[in-house]
């Protein structure tokens, strides 16, 4: 193996635990920064039930920490924090950086690379888009239910860099399909076309994807929301294919009763990724003098749900 | 008193109990058709706590029934069924009609007069719009919290008829402010401009009116929805004043933390009046080849909520 980086997983929830676990399982030097999971992992390791094969990383083979100051310098820092936790980026990541450390924001929605770039400089940053369904079952136990591939792209420049190819290669050698992409921004917006209607309506209505597409009125609503995402993307300088909404809906019909991460967050009363998925597109449109009505409504509605759920209001 | 009709209250829930109770309190010959409230009223009468003065109608002074076949013929039938119960109109009202019986649909939303007209002929029908907040507290106990005035208009013709003036007069003599209006359809749409955003978002988000107007994004959303209601009204041949949305919002700001009937229905897991308030405007627009996106989204969302609430789906 030519590229043998020392890797940190920051925010090893379900996503970080799964992808970091795969890398550790395949012999990589992975260091996990944990919070609520720390005791469970240190004692029992991590156990993953996966459609791509179950595995366990025993406690004695794991590098786990609950304090970034105790960690060595890293070659690659993979951030899997929820975007709502980006306010902790600076204290969590700064202690891990040497001059050439690369930071991979393997997170949902928009603005994550920008958040990292403002603290650590744009050149270090690459972005990752995960297409997967992974849940934490209990401390130290993760369930990988479906999909799993990731796309990674450079943040500050177009095209496939050597480090992208190297990182994709170590994932591909670790049972995770990974692809270096030329245009991260395009990839992020492409994902948004799916996430905004399905995560948004799914969370608002506690509805799985199949229910949202069960009749013509739901399908038309999803299409109309996707159309607004295309408009937001265009205002952000990204031209998506006009038939992308139809494609995404066709693909979604093959997924059965899929529950999005935002729907699950709402059910569990955990913070929803409202700003990164819904807020940023609305703000981009507003800055351009546009009101994308359905996105505005979804954004407003989810913030209201969040206010109620978090007991910020009676 | 020149006009002394025999009056039936059909569907004497909170609204029917209050308005019928006011008429009975003031000496009118009122006959209540009850279902779940029958035993309570027959035993204990009805007690009303009202901002316009508490009152009780004792059991011995009340005409209560649980079967329309047991009731005499009526001069005026006031229907206060929820619009979701209009499927029971024909069996409930038919036994009460003589040749000149007038039917007053004192109900929410659109389509109630049409539902009555299809069974009983358009000429009998007048419509009533209640601006009020009335809740049932327990069987036989009603709380009238705010407002209370009603507007009544002819269904099949424009202008103020003699019977409208007579009915308004008996309400006005019974502590209920009532006004005959020239244009019922205009009155119905005017109310819709308020009901659709506040009942819709209120139910969807479990939000009182003040929360929906708490910041600019909420206010803009309410305005955008109201704008679509104006478009739907125009497609239905009703021109509403362009500044009506601003007026309604200004008025709403004086109401404090108001909880709409649809929000209350959702909380209590009772049927929401989705078709009459939200569905009919969407259908009118669609028949005219228009998609009013926010109304479509509200309508879809509330039907989903209803499906979940009624356990029609798992």
């Amino acid at each position: 193996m030519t590229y043998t980086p020392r890797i940190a997983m920051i925010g090893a929830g379900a996503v970080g635990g799964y992808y970091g676990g795969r890398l550790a399982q395949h012999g990589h030097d992975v260091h996990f920064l944990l919070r609520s999971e720390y005791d469970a992992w240190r004692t029992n390791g991590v156990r993953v039930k996966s459609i791509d094969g179950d595995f366990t990383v025993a406690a004695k083979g794991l590098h786990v920490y609950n304090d970034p100051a105790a960690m060595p310098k890293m070659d690659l820092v993979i951030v899997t924090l929820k975007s709502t936790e980006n306010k902790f980026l600076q204290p969590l990541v700064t202690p891990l950086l040497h001059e050439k450390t690369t930071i991979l924001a393997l997170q949902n929605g928009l603005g994550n690379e920008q958040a990292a770039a403002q603290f650590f400089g744009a050149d270090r940053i690459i972005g990752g888009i995960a297409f997967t369904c992974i849940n934490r079952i209990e401390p130290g136990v993760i369930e990988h239910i479906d999909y799993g591939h990731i796309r990674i792209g450079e943040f500050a420049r177009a095209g496939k860099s050597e480090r992208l190819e190297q990182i994709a290669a170590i994932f591909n050698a670790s049972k995770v399909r990974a692809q270096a992409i030329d245009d991260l921004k395009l990839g992020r917006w492409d994902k948004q076309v799916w996430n905004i209607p399905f995560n948004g309506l799914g969370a608002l209505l506690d509805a799985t994807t199949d229910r949202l597409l069960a009749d013509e009125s739901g399908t038309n609503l999803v299409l109309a929301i996707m159309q607004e995402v295309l408009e937001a993307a265009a205002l952000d300088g990204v031209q998506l294919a006009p038939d992308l909404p139809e494609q995404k809906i066709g693909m979604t019909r093959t997924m059965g009763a899929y529950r999005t991460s935002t729907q699950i967050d709402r059910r569990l009363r955990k913070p929803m990724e409202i700003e990164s998925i819904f807020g940023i597109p609305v703000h981009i449109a507003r800055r351009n003098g546009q009101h994308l009505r359905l996105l505005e409504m979804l954004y407003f509605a989810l913030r209201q749900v969040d206010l109620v759920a978090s007991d910020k209001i009676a």
Side-chain angles (χ1 to χ4, degrees), chain A residues 191-211:
Chain A
K191 183 101 188 289
Q192 287 282 93
V193 172
W194 194 92
N195 280 148
I196 289 180
F198 289 109
N199 288 51
L201 295 174
L204 183 62
L205 305 174
D206 195 19
T208 47
T209 53
D210 60 329
R211 266 183 52 205

Side-chain angles (χ1 to χ4, degrees), chain A residues 9 15 18-20 23 76 78 80 104-107 126-132 134 144 147-153 164 167-172 175-181 184 191:
Chain A
M9 299 300 304
V15 168
Y18 176 73
Y19 289 109
L23 294 171
L76 174 61
I78 302 179
T80 60
L104 166 58
L106 188 60
Q107 298 174 281
I126 63 178
I129 306 162
F131 298 80
T132 188
I134 303 173
H144 169 218
Y147 304 93
H149 62 289
I150 63 179
R151 291 183 186 151
I152 56 177
L164 282 187
I167 293 166
I170 67 172
F171 275 113
N172 281 312
K175 266 206 167 165
V176 174
R177 276 198 301 130
Q179 180 190 11
I181 58 175
L184 176 66
K191 183 101 188 289

Side-chain angles (χ1 to χ4, degrees), chain A residues 2 20 73:
Chain A
T2 53
K73 302 294 182 191

